[in-house]
PDB file of all heavy atoms in Angstrom:
ATOM      1  N   LEU L  47       7.898  -9.796  43.550  1.00 77.00           N
ATOM      2  CA  LEU L  47       9.319  -9.490  43.486  1.00 77.00           C
ATOM      3  C   LEU L  47       9.744  -8.441  44.504  1.00 77.00           C
ATOM      4  O   LEU L  47      10.790  -8.586  45.153  1.00 77.00           O
ATOM      5  CB  LEU L  47       9.681  -9.001  42.075  1.00 77.00           C
ATOM      6  CG  LEU L  47       9.509 -10.016  40.933  1.00 77.00           C
ATOM      7  CD1 LEU L  47       9.985  -9.411  39.620  1.00 77.00           C
ATOM      8  CD2 LEU L  47      10.253 -11.305  41.236  1.00 77.00           C
ATOM      9  N   ASP L  48       8.955  -7.370  44.672  1.00 77.00           N
ATOM     10  CA  ASP L  48       9.342  -6.289  45.573  1.00 77.00           C
ATOM     11  C   ASP L  48       8.989  -6.601  47.023  1.00 77.00           C
ATOM     12  O   ASP L  48       9.791  -6.360  47.930  1.00 77.00           O
ATOM     13  CB  ASP L  48       8.679  -4.983  45.135  1.00 77.00           C
ATOM     14  CG  ASP L  48       9.199  -3.775  45.899  1.00 77.00           C
ATOM     15  OD1 ASP L  48      10.370  -3.422  45.677  1.00 77.00           O
ATOM     16  OD2 ASP L  48       8.447  -3.204  46.709  1.00 77.00           O
ATOM     17  N   ARG L  49       7.785  -7.145  47.240  1.00 80.00           N
ATOM     18  CA  ARG L  49       7.327  -7.424  48.600  1.00 80.00           C
ATOM     19  C   ARG L  49       7.619  -8.845  49.057  1.00 80.00           C
ATOM     20  O   ARG L  49       7.551  -9.141  50.255  1.00 80.00           O
ATOM     21  CB  ARG L  49       5.823  -7.153  48.706  1.00 80.00           C
ATOM     22  CG  ARG L  49       5.437  -5.686  48.565  1.00 80.00           C
ATOM     23  CD  ARG L  49       5.920  -4.895  49.763  1.00 80.00           C
ATOM     24  NE  ARG L  49       5.553  -3.487  49.684  1.00 80.00           N
ATOM     25  CZ  ARG L  49       5.837  -2.599  50.615  1.00 80.00           C
ATOM     26  NH1 ARG L  49       6.494  -2.973  51.702  1.00 80.00           N
ATOM     27  NH2 ARG L  49       5.490  -1.327  50.462  1.00 80.00           N
ATOM     28  N   GLY L  50       7.890  -9.744  48.120  1.00 79.00           N
ATOM     29  CA  GLY L  50       8.256 -11.107  48.483  1.00 79.00           C
ATOM     30  C   GLY L  50       7.103 -12.029  48.806  1.00 79.00           C
ATOM     31  O   GLY L  50       7.303 -13.102  49.395  1.00 79.00           O
ATOM     32  N   TYR L  51       5.884 -11.676  48.410  1.00 82.00           N
ATOM     33  CA  TYR L  51       4.729 -12.538  48.660  1.00 82.00           C
ATOM     34  C   TYR L  51       4.649 -13.639  47.607  1.00 82.00           C
ATOM     35  O   TYR L  51       5.284 -13.567  46.548  1.00 82.00           O
ATOM     36  CB  TYR L  51       3.434 -11.710  48.662  1.00 82.00           C
ATOM     37  CG  TYR L  51       3.356 -10.703  49.785  1.00 82.00           C
ATOM     38  CD1 TYR L  51       3.343  -9.334  49.518  1.00 82.00           C
ATOM     39  CD2 TYR L  51       3.303 -11.118  51.108  1.00 82.00           C
ATOM     40  CE1 TYR L  51       3.271  -8.400  50.540  1.00 82.00           C
ATOM     41  CE2 TYR L  51       3.224 -10.187  52.143  1.00 82.00           C
ATOM     42  CZ  TYR L  51       3.216  -8.831  51.852  1.00 82.00           C
ATOM     43  OH  TYR L  51       3.150  -7.902  52.873  1.00 82.00           O
ATOM     44  N   SER L  52       3.840 -14.657  47.897  1.00 82.00           N
ATOM     45  CA  SER L  52       3.690 -15.787  46.979  1.00 82.00           C
ATOM     46  C   SER L  52       2.792 -15.412  45.810  1.00 82.00           C
ATOM     47  O   SER L  52       2.071 -14.406  45.837  1.00 82.00           O
ATOM     48  CB  SER L  52       3.078 -16.983  47.719  1.00 82.00           C
ATOM     49  OG  SER L  52       1.732 -16.690  48.093  1.00 82.00           O
ATOM     50  N   ALA L  53       2.814 -16.267  44.780  1.00 77.00           N
ATOM     51  CA  ALA L  53       1.936 -16.063  43.629  1.00 77.00           C
ATOM     52  C   ALA L  53       0.477 -16.170  44.043  1.00 77.00           C
ATOM     53  O   ALA L  53      -0.390 -15.477  43.501  1.00 77.00           O
ATOM     54  CB  ALA L  53       2.257 -17.089  42.538  1.00 77.00           C
ATOM     55  N   SER L  54       0.188 -17.028  45.025  1.00 79.00           N
ATOM     56  CA  SER L  54      -1.192 -17.181  45.486  1.00 79.00           C
ATOM     57  C   SER L  54      -1.694 -15.905  46.160  1.00 79.00           C
ATOM     58  O   SER L  54      -2.844 -15.497  45.958  1.00 79.00           O
ATOM     59  CB  SER L  54      -1.300 -18.365  46.458  1.00 79.00           C
ATOM     60  OG  SER L  54      -1.020 -19.575  45.803  1.00 79.00           O
ATOM     61  N   TYR L  55      -0.827 -15.262  46.990  1.00 85.00           N
ATOM     62  CA  TYR L  55      -1.238 -14.007  47.624  1.00 85.00           C
ATOM     63  C   TYR L  55      -1.424 -12.909  46.575  1.00 85.00           C
ATOM     64  O   TYR L  55      -2.382 -12.133  46.641  1.00 85.00           O
ATOM     65  CB  TYR L  55      -0.200 -13.553  48.661  1.00 85.00           C
ATOM     66  CG  TYR L  55      -0.502 -12.183  49.233  1.00 85.00           C
ATOM     67  CD1 TYR L  55      -1.510 -12.006  50.177  1.00 85.00           C
ATOM     68  CD2 TYR L  55       0.188 -11.054  48.784  1.00 85.00           C
ATOM     69  CE1 TYR L  55      -1.810 -10.740  50.679  1.00 85.00           C
ATOM     70  CE2 TYR L  55      -0.103  -9.790  49.282  1.00 85.00           C
ATOM     71  CZ  TYR L  55      -1.100  -9.641  50.230  1.00 85.00           C
ATOM     72  OH  TYR L  55      -1.397  -8.392  50.712  1.00 85.00           O
ATOM     73  N   ALA L  56      -0.498 -12.859  45.600  1.00 83.00           N
ATOM     74  CA  ALA L  56      -0.640 -11.870  44.519  1.00 83.00           C
ATOM     75  C   ALA L  56      -1.948 -12.095  43.770  1.00 83.00           C
ATOM     76  O   ALA L  56      -2.649 -11.141  43.411  1.00 83.00           O
ATOM     77  CB  ALA L  56       0.540 -11.968  43.557  1.00 83.00           C
ATOM     78  N   GLY L  57      -2.294 -13.361  43.570  1.00 78.00           N
ATOM     79  CA  GLY L  57      -3.557 -13.674  42.918  1.00 78.00           C
ATOM     80  C   GLY L  57      -4.749 -13.247  43.754  1.00 78.00           C
ATOM     81  O   GLY L  57      -5.759 -12.770  43.230  1.00 78.00           O
ATOM     82  N   LEU L  58      -4.640 -13.420  45.089  1.00 84.00           N
ATOM     83  CA  LEU L  58      -5.718 -13.014  45.980  1.00 84.00           C
ATOM     84  C   LEU L  58      -5.945 -11.507  45.924  1.00 84.00           C
ATOM     85  O   LEU L  58      -7.087 -11.038  45.828  1.00 84.00           O
ATOM     86  CB  LEU L  58      -5.399 -13.439  47.416  1.00 84.00           C
ATOM     87  CG  LEU L  58      -6.363 -12.947  48.502  1.00 84.00           C
ATOM     88  CD1 LEU L  58      -7.759 -13.516  48.274  1.00 84.00           C
ATOM     89  CD2 LEU L  58      -5.844 -13.307  49.889  1.00 84.00           C
ATOM     90  N   VAL L  59      -4.863 -10.733  45.951  1.00 86.00           N
ATOM     91  CA  VAL L  59      -4.980  -9.276  45.904  1.00 86.00           C
ATOM     92  C   VAL L  59      -5.573  -8.824  44.571  1.00 86.00           C
ATOM     93  O   VAL L  59      -6.457  -7.960  44.527  1.00 86.00           O
ATOM     94  CB  VAL L  59      -3.610  -8.610  46.140  1.00 86.00           C
ATOM     95  CG1 VAL L  59      -3.685  -7.102  45.910  1.00 86.00           C
ATOM     96  CG2 VAL L  59      -3.119  -8.892  47.556  1.00 86.00           C
ATOM     97  N   ALA L  60      -5.076  -9.416  43.488  1.00 79.00           N
ATOM     98  CA  ALA L  60      -5.613  -9.057  42.176  1.00 79.00           C
ATOM     99  C   ALA L  60      -7.092  -9.432  42.075  1.00 79.00           C
ATOM    100  O   ALA L  60      -7.877  -8.734  41.433  1.00 79.00           O
ATOM    101  CB  ALA L  60      -4.816  -9.749  41.078  1.00 79.00           C
ATOM    102  N   SER L  61      -7.483 -10.523  42.723  1.00 78.00           N
ATOM    103  CA  SER L  61      -8.883 -10.926  42.719  1.00 78.00           C
ATOM    104  C   SER L  61      -9.747  -9.958  43.517  1.00 78.00           C
ATOM    105  O   SER L  61     -10.882  -9.676  43.137  1.00 78.00           O
ATOM    106  CB  SER L  61      -9.031 -12.346  43.293  1.00 78.00           C
ATOM    107  OG  SER L  61      -8.468 -13.285  42.419  1.00 78.00           O
ATOM    108  N   LEU L  62      -9.216  -9.453  44.622  1.00 85.00           N
ATOM    109  CA  LEU L  62      -9.951  -8.437  45.383  1.00 85.00           C
ATOM    110  C   LEU L  62     -10.103  -7.157  44.558  1.00 85.00           C
ATOM    111  O   LEU L  62     -11.141  -6.497  44.619  1.00 85.00           O
ATOM    112  CB  LEU L  62      -9.233  -8.143  46.707  1.00 85.00           C
ATOM    113  CG  LEU L  62      -9.336  -9.240  47.774  1.00 85.00           C
ATOM    114  CD1 LEU L  62      -8.427  -8.918  48.947  1.00 85.00           C
ATOM    115  CD2 LEU L  62     -10.778  -9.386  48.243  1.00 85.00           C
ATOM    116  N   HIS L  63      -9.075  -6.841  43.799  1.00 84.00           N
ATOM    117  CA  HIS L  63      -9.169  -5.715  42.864  1.00 84.00           C
ATOM    118  C   HIS L  63     -10.311  -5.971  41.868  1.00 84.00           C
ATOM    119  O   HIS L  63     -11.126  -5.090  41.585  1.00 84.00           O
ATOM    120  CB  HIS L  63      -7.832  -5.567  42.127  1.00 84.00           C
ATOM    121  CG  HIS L  63      -7.790  -4.416  41.163  1.00 84.00           C
ATOM    122  ND1 HIS L  63      -8.236  -4.514  39.856  1.00 84.00           N
ATOM    123  CD2 HIS L  63      -7.328  -3.143  41.295  1.00 84.00           C
ATOM    124  CE1 HIS L  63      -8.069  -3.365  39.242  1.00 84.00           C
ATOM    125  NE2 HIS L  63      -7.508  -2.510  40.093  1.00 84.00           N
ATOM    126  N   GLY L  64     -10.379  -7.209  41.353  1.00 77.00           N
ATOM    127  CA  GLY L  64     -11.467  -7.564  40.453  1.00 77.00           C
ATOM    128  C   GLY L  64     -12.820  -7.573  41.133  1.00 77.00           C
ATOM    129  O   GLY L  64     -13.822  -7.161  40.549  1.00 77.00           O
ATOM    130  N   LEU L  65     -12.867  -8.026  42.402  1.00 84.00           N
ATOM    131  CA  LEU L  65     -14.121  -8.037  43.158  1.00 84.00           C
ATOM    132  C   LEU L  65     -14.650  -6.625  43.336  1.00 84.00           C
ATOM    133  O   LEU L  65     -15.867  -6.390  43.250  1.00 84.00           O
ATOM    134  CB  LEU L  65     -13.900  -8.694  44.526  1.00 84.00           C
ATOM    135  CG  LEU L  65     -15.123  -8.753  45.451  1.00 84.00           C
ATOM    136  CD1 LEU L  65     -16.241  -9.563  44.800  1.00 84.00           C
ATOM    137  CD2 LEU L  65     -14.740  -9.344  46.816  1.00 84.00           C
ATOM    138  N   GLY L  66     -13.746  -5.674  43.554  1.00 86.00           N
ATOM    139  CA  GLY L  66     -14.168  -4.282  43.646  1.00 86.00           C
ATOM    140  C   GLY L  66     -14.860  -3.829  42.370  1.00 86.00           C
ATOM    141  O   GLY L  66     -15.868  -3.124  42.406  1.00 86.00           O
ATOM    142  N   GLY L  67     -14.321  -4.282  41.227  1.00 82.00           N
ATOM    143  CA  GLY L  67     -14.948  -3.957  39.953  1.00 82.00           C
ATOM    144  C   GLY L  67     -16.313  -4.585  39.790  1.00 82.00           C
ATOM    145  O   GLY L  67     -17.233  -3.972  39.243  1.00 82.00           O
ATOM    146  N   VAL L  68     -16.468  -5.813  40.275  1.00 82.00           N
ATOM    147  CA  VAL L  68     -17.771  -6.494  40.213  1.00 82.00           C
ATOM    148  C   VAL L  68     -18.805  -5.715  41.025  1.00 82.00           C
ATOM    149  O   VAL L  68     -19.934  -5.485  40.578  1.00 82.00           O
ATOM    150  CB  VAL L  68     -17.657  -7.936  40.741  1.00 82.00           C
ATOM    151  CG1 VAL L  68     -19.029  -8.588  40.826  1.00 82.00           C
ATOM    152  CG2 VAL L  68     -16.752  -8.770  39.836  1.00 82.00           C
ATOM    153  N   VAL L  69     -18.410  -5.297  42.221  1.00 84.00           N
ATOM    154  CA  VAL L  69     -19.324  -4.569  43.110  1.00 84.00           C
ATOM    155  C   VAL L  69     -19.759  -3.250  42.486  1.00 84.00           C
ATOM    156  O   VAL L  69     -20.927  -2.858  42.565  1.00 84.00           O
ATOM    157  CB  VAL L  69     -18.654  -4.328  44.476  1.00 84.00           C
ATOM    158  CG1 VAL L  69     -19.500  -3.394  45.327  1.00 84.00           C
ATOM    159  CG2 VAL L  69     -18.423  -5.656  45.203  1.00 84.00           C
ATOM    160  N   SER L  70     -18.806  -2.549  41.842  1.00 86.00           N
ATOM    161  CA  SER L  70     -19.124  -1.220  41.320  1.00 86.00           C
ATOM    162  C   SER L  70     -19.805  -1.241  39.962  1.00 86.00           C
ATOM    163  O   SER L  70     -20.404  -0.234  39.560  1.00 86.00           O
ATOM    164  CB  SER L  70     -17.847  -0.377  41.220  1.00 86.00           C
ATOM    165  OG  SER L  70     -16.986  -0.875  40.210  1.00 86.00           O
ATOM    166  N   SER L  71     -19.740  -2.353  39.220  1.00 82.00           N
ATOM    167  CA  SER L  71     -20.267  -2.381  37.851  1.00 82.00           C
ATOM    168  C   SER L  71     -21.744  -2.012  37.794  1.00 82.00           C
ATOM    169  O   SER L  71     -22.156  -1.134  37.026  1.00 82.00           O
ATOM    170  CB  SER L  71     -20.056  -3.763  37.227  1.00 82.00           C
ATOM    171  OG  SER L  71     -18.700  -4.038  37.041  1.00 82.00           O
ATOM    172  N   ILE L  72     -22.552  -2.696  38.611  1.00 82.00           N
ATOM    173  CA  ILE L  72     -23.993  -2.449  38.567  1.00 82.00           C
ATOM    174  C   ILE L  72     -24.306  -1.062  39.094  1.00 82.00           C
ATOM    175  O   ILE L  72     -25.100  -0.314  38.499  1.00 82.00           O
ATOM    176  CB  ILE L  72     -24.740  -3.527  39.375  1.00 82.00           C
ATOM    177  CG1 ILE L  72     -24.528  -4.898  38.720  1.00 82.00           C
ATOM    178  CG2 ILE L  72     -26.223  -3.191  39.464  1.00 82.00           C
ATOM    179  CD1 ILE L  72     -25.173  -6.041  39.472  1.00 82.00           C
ATOM    180  N   GLY L  73     -23.682  -0.682  40.205  1.00 86.00           N
ATOM    181  CA  GLY L  73     -23.929   0.648  40.763  1.00 86.00           C
ATOM    182  C   GLY L  73     -23.524   1.750  39.808  1.00 86.00           C
ATOM    183  O   GLY L  73     -24.229   2.753  39.656  1.00 86.00           O
ATOM    184  N   ALA L  74     -22.386   1.578  39.123  1.00 86.00           N
ATOM    185  CA  ALA L  74     -21.937   2.584  38.167  1.00 86.00           C
ATOM    186  C   ALA L  74     -22.865   2.660  36.972  1.00 86.00           C
ATOM    187  O   ALA L  74     -23.105   3.744  36.422  1.00 86.00           O
ATOM    188  CB  ALA L  74     -20.512   2.263  37.712  1.00 86.00           C
ATOM    189  N   GLY L  75     -23.412   1.512  36.559  1.00 85.00           N
ATOM    190  CA  GLY L  75     -24.364   1.518  35.459  1.00 85.00           C
ATOM    191  C   GLY L  75     -25.624   2.286  35.810  1.00 85.00           C
ATOM    192  O   GLY L  75     -26.148   3.064  34.995  1.00 85.00           O
ATOM    193  N   ILE L  76     -26.114   2.085  37.025  1.00 84.00           N
ATOM    194  CA  ILE L  76     -27.309   2.808  37.483  1.00 84.00           C
ATOM    195  C   ILE L  76     -27.007   4.301  37.602  1.00 84.00           C
ATOM    196  O   ILE L  76     -27.806   5.154  37.192  1.00 84.00           O
ATOM    197  CB  ILE L  76     -27.793   2.239  38.830  1.00 84.00           C
ATOM    198  CG1 ILE L  76     -28.271   0.781  38.640  1.00 84.00           C
ATOM    199  CG2 ILE L  76     -28.926   3.095  39.405  1.00 84.00           C
ATOM    200  CD1 ILE L  76     -28.609   0.080  39.931  1.00 84.00           C
ATOM    201  N   MET L  77     -25.833   4.644  38.153  1.00 89.00           N
ATOM    202  CA  MET L  77     -25.431   6.053  38.248  1.00 89.00           C
ATOM    203  C   MET L  77     -25.361   6.698  36.867  1.00 89.00           C
ATOM    204  O   MET L  77     -25.765   7.848  36.681  1.00 89.00           O
ATOM    205  CB  MET L  77     -24.062   6.168  38.936  1.00 89.00           C
ATOM    206  CG  MET L  77     -24.074   5.999  40.439  1.00 89.00           C
ATOM    207  SD  MET L  77     -22.397   6.080  41.120  1.00 89.00           S
ATOM    208  CE  MET L  77     -21.918   7.749  40.626  1.00 89.00           C
TER     209      MET L  77
END
Side-chain angles (χ1 to χ4, degrees):
L47 296 183
D48 189 69
R49 293 291 181 179
Y51 295 115
S52 67
S54 295
Y55 174 76
L58 173 63
V59 173
S61 291
L62 287 172
H63 182 274
L65 179 61
V68 174
V69 171
S70 69
S71 294
I72 296 177
I76 295 173
M77 283 177 61

